[in-house]
Amino acid sequence: MEKIVNLDSVNEYNTANNNKTLHPLVSVIDYSKASLRDWGDVDTIKFQYGLYSIFLKDVKCGDLKYGRHYYDYQAGTLVFFAPGQVAEMENPRVTYQPMGYGLVFHADFLRGTTLGKNIQDYKFFNYQTHEALHLSDDERQMVMDCFAKIEFELKQPIDKHSKKLIASNIELFLNYCERFYDRQFITREVAHKGILEKFEDLLNTYFSSDKPHIIGLPSVAYFADELHLSANYFGDLIKKETGQSAKDYIQNKTIEVAKNKVFENDKTVNEIAYELGFKYPQHFTRLFKQRVGVSPNEYKNLN
């Protein structure tokens, strides 16, 4: 049996968790105030998000799934959702007391604020499997301090400064999360090195197979999916490990393969382009010249 939970209204979400609504578009949630959860005869709960939602749960209540993959979710981690996303909880515990904290805010609150212009820069709202943010004790305390500052402003009488101060504190919290994710990329360096090696193997296999003919040029999304990562997390990981974007890494590899093919005497530029997955040979020639400085034929003559 499946249950669908829509998270569209801050007030409804507060009511469901026995929290007082201090602002119609923003709330800091204390889950310990919520009543015991009893999902009854439910195998899967599907959460449909209409709000930006960040959860710091202190109890694991089921297997959290986003898309086809699972979060490496456990007590003491932060998970992020943006409006329009759908997550599933499989095998929910029949009865449990929710614990932890959350921050929810509606997209309408961001309109006219600096955060509203920059919210798309916080790519962790689109992270998924193996990508939850694991907090150290000091980082957890910083998160709680940020939540406390936001809640303090929510409790003040609304004036001309309220929106700016609340939005600024949410932005400060998200900036700290970016820093904590950078730390996590470093502390998980060994695991990420393994991912980079697998990525390189997948690239080599891609060009030695018939995939360029069937799929076309290799994409960031294709390799992220093969590695069971979200495209955003995968892109950030490659950037931090190599200093270049995943797209640039793939294009550089494509050009390296192209350089070898240029010296196969029986192949024309058009044939090489199609073998690599380019729809139009002129696009291949343009990219080659951008990366190498000369056209494929000029490169062959020079060498």
Side-chain angles (χ1 to χ4, degrees), residues 14 80 84 91 98 141 167 188 190 195 197 215 217 224-225:
N14 279 329
F80 303 80
N91 308 310
Q141 186 56 55
R188 291 189 167 190
V190 173
I195 291 172
E197 290 172 2
I215 303 173
L217 283 169
D225 192 59

Side-chain angles (χ1 to χ4, degrees), residues 194-214:
I195 291 172
L196 189 60
E197 290 172 2
K198 290 178 182 177
F199 174 37
E200 185 68 28
D201 288 341
L202 284 169
L203 264 172
N204 291 329
T205 302
Y206 193 94
F207 284 114
S208 62
S209 70
D210 59 355
K211 284 185 170 63
H213 294 284
I214 300 170

Side-chain angles (χ1 to χ4, degrees), residues 12-51:
E12 288 178 357
Y13 194 66
N14 279 329
T15 301
N17 290 283
N18 297 328
N19 278 250
K20 185 177 179 181
T21 299
L22 303 174
H23 191 291
L25 299 177
V26 185
S27 185
V28 174
I29 309 293
D30 180 352
Y31 288 104
S32 67
K33 295 179 181 179
S35 303
L36 286 175
R37 293 272 199 266
D38 187 353
W39 297 114
D41 187 21
V42 173
D43 300 316
T44 302
I45 306 165
K46 185 175 289 184
F47 298 95
Q48 298 181 337
Y49 291 90
L51 307 167

Side-chain angles (χ1 to χ4, degrees), residues 51-295:
L51 307 167
Y52 286 97
S53 308
I54 301 104
F55 305 121
L56 173 59
K57 292 289 189 69
D58 285 334
V59 58
K60 184 172 180 178
C61 41
D63 300 322
L64 194 59
K65 185 179 181 184
Y66 177 45
R68 295 189 296 109
H69 308 301
Y70 292 90
Y71 270 103
D72 54 348
Y73 169 65
Q74 52 193 267
T77 58
L78 273 177
V79 290
F80 303 80
F81 292 102
Q85 293 179 340
V86 177
E88 294 182 13
M89 183 183 293
E90 296 182 345
N91 308 310
R93 288 167 56 177
V94 177
T95 304
Y96 68 94
Q97 172 61 54
M99 296 296 292
Y101 299 87
L103 171 64
V104 295
F105 53 94
H106 198 284
D108 286 348
F109 177 77
L110 304 181
R111 304 193 193 285
T113 66
T114 303
L115 179 57
K117 297 176 183 177
N118 301 327
I119 190 68
Q120 298 302 323
D121 294 340
Y122 298 100
K123 296 179 182 178
F124 43 74
F125 279 106
N126 291 310
Y127 286 175
Q128 49 187 48
T129 183
H130 308 309
E131 302 162 1
L133 178 55
H134 301 272
L135 299 173
S136 69
D137 291 340
D138 288 343
E139 290 167 350
R140 178 190 170 86
Q141 186 56 55
M142 184 61 73
V143 167
M144 296 306 301
D145 289 346
C146 288
F147 283 180
K149 289 178 180 179
I150 295 168
E151 189 171 33
F152 173 82
E153 289 300 331
L154 291 173
K155 289 179 178 179
Q156 304 308 304
I158 294 178
D159 57 28
K160 65 179 183 180
H161 304 287
S162 299
K163 184 172 183 176
K164 182 178 180 181
L165 288 169
I166 294 168
S168 295
N169 278 300
I170 294 175
E171 189 170 13
L172 176 66
F173 161 69
L174 296 177
N175 287 337
Y176 271 117
C177 290
E178 278 197 316
R179 169 186 276 182
F180 299 158
Y181 259 117
D182 280 347
R183 182 272 308 156
Q184 184 160 295
F185 276 115
I186 294 170
T187 57
R188 291 189 167 190
E189 184 177 8
V190 173
H192 290 162
K193 289 290 186 186
I195 291 172
L196 189 60
E197 290 172 2
K198 290 178 182 177
F199 174 37
E200 185 68 28
D201 288 341
L202 284 169
L203 264 172
N204 291 329
T205 302
Y206 193 94
F207 284 114
S208 62
S209 70
D210 59 355
K211 284 185 170 63
H213 294 284
I214 300 170
I215 303 173
L217 283 169
S219 67
V220 174
Y222 170 83
F223 291 110
D225 192 59
E226 286 292 306
L227 293 165
H228 307 298
L229 299 170
S230 66
N232 280 334
Y233 189 91
F234 174 65
D236 289 346
L237 186 157
I238 297 301
K239 180 73 172 178
K240 288 183 170 60
E241 289 293 329
T242 69
Q244 54 187 312
S245 70
K247 181 180 178 181
D248 283 341
Y249 194 97
I250 292 169
Q251 287 187 345
N252 287 339
K253 180 66 175 182
T254 304
I255 295 302
E256 288 304 310
V257 174
K259 285 179 178 179
N260 291 329
K261 288 183 176 292
V262 162
F263 291 98
E264 296 178 11
N265 295 325
D266 58 335
K267 291 181 179 176
T268 66
V269 171
N270 286 7
E271 288 173 330
I272 294 171
Y274 290 128
E275 283 185 8
L276 292 172
F278 287 88
K279 284 186 178 181
Y280 307 105
Q282 58 267 35
H283 291 174
F284 164 61
T285 301
R286 187 182 306 123
L287 178 64
F288 193 98
K289 193 166 185 177
Q290 285 176 350
R291 298 284 173 160
V292 183
V294 294
S295 71

